[in-house]
Amino acid sequence: MLIENYLRSRFAPNSITILRYPGILYQHLRVFRKYIVENNAFPLPDNHLEFSVESSSMLDIAHATACIAHSPTRRHSSSVYKLTGPQLLTLEEVGARVLNGLRRDDGAVNITDMEGLADILYESIGNEEHVAFLLEVWGLQQKSNVGRRFEITRDLEALTGQSGKTLNEFFEDDHVQDLFRSPSPSPFVV
């Protein structure tokens, strides 16, 4: 919200369009690649398994951005879009679908405390600010979800004509499979 407030203070309202992408970007899941390979498991926090999270693919967000950039300015000026994929998932469902998508039928979900999860992320990313960013975007820095509204929006579909990829569809792409198997992928994807 700070960035949005800054933009609103610096530019005329009819000259900005805001795109929000809450929750988990599928591409962010690559930060768990090393952990999955070494432990045949997906780590999850011990006290947030029931939290529902919004999720989307970075490619769907790029597609929506391109649609806005290619449109006449007036069509989207002063608009705020919340871009989500077509499904809400609990964190436990995310872990199970990642392992299923990577065809790790014998994989497990490992439950860890928040400090342990932050350590796993730091080992992969090597930057405490990026770790804090991911935990915050994923909604894991909050003590509870009271007051937080999770929803599937139709904004992506309104902009692009498509509802976006599900997490299962994301893992059907052979390129994604290769990224998780690569010996040295880039550790962090913005």
Side-chain angles (χ1 to χ4, degrees):
M1 291 304 281
L2 290 175
I3 292 172
E4 290 179 26
N5 290 336
Y6 173 77
L7 291 172
R8 288 186 176 112
S9 72
R10 302 290 271 164
F11 301 100
N14 64 350
S15 67
I16 59 172
T17 301
I18 295 176
L19 299 177
R20 296 180 184 148
Y21 58 93
I24 295 174
L25 289 176
Y26 303 151
Q27 288 78 359
H28 283 167
L29 296 171
R30 285 181 47 203
V31 299
F32 295 113
R33 178 207 153 285
K34 181 179 177 191
Y35 186 88
I36 292 168
V37 168
E38 291 176 358
N39 299 286
N40 197 33
F42 189 84
L44 287 174
D46 56 0
N47 58 348
H48 296 298
L49 290 176
E50 74 288 353
F51 278 14
S52 290
V53 293
E54 295 142 331
S55 59
S56 56
S57 170
M58 196 178 301
L59 295 175
D60 291 333
I61 292 169
H63 188 193
T65 303
C67 288
I68 290 171
H70 190 262
S71 298
T73 305
R74 284 190 197 159
R75 182 176 297 165
H76 301 289
S77 65
S78 302
S79 296
V80 176
Y81 298 102
K82 183 177 178 183
L83 305 177
T84 65
Q87 59 190 177
L88 280 178
L89 300 170
T90 65
L91 290 175
E92 196 166 23
E93 289 172 324
V94 169
R97 289 183 188 211
V98 168
L99 292 171
N100 184 48
L102 294 173
R103 296 176 184 89
R104 291 186 168 265
D105 299 328
D106 57 342
V109 171
N110 281 356
I111 307 301
T112 183
D113 60 16
M114 285 302 292
E115 188 176 317
L117 184 61
D119 290 344
I120 291 166
L121 289 169
Y122 182 79
E123 187 176 325
S124 176
I125 299 168
N127 183 307
E128 288 182 24
E129 290 177 5
H130 284 166
V131 170
F133 168 77
L134 285 178
L135 292 175
E136 184 175 331
V137 167
W138 295 345
L140 298 179
Q141 296 288 55
Q142 302 175 33
K143 298 293 182 205
S144 72
N145 271 339
V146 175
R148 182 149 182 203
R149 184 172 169 217
F150 294 98
E151 63 184 346
I152 301 298
T153 68
R154 305 292 292 212
D155 291 351
L156 181 64
E157 191 171 354
L159 289 168
T160 66
Q162 301 171 356
S163 63
K165 283 188 175 186
T166 65
L167 186 55
N168 292 353
E169 291 168 336
F170 174 73
F171 278 105
E172 289 172 4
D173 182 344
D174 289 335
H175 180 66
V176 171
Q177 297 285 328
D178 293 342
L179 289 174
F180 274 86
R181 289 186 195 112
S182 171
S184 58
S186 65
F188 185 73
V189 179
V190 177

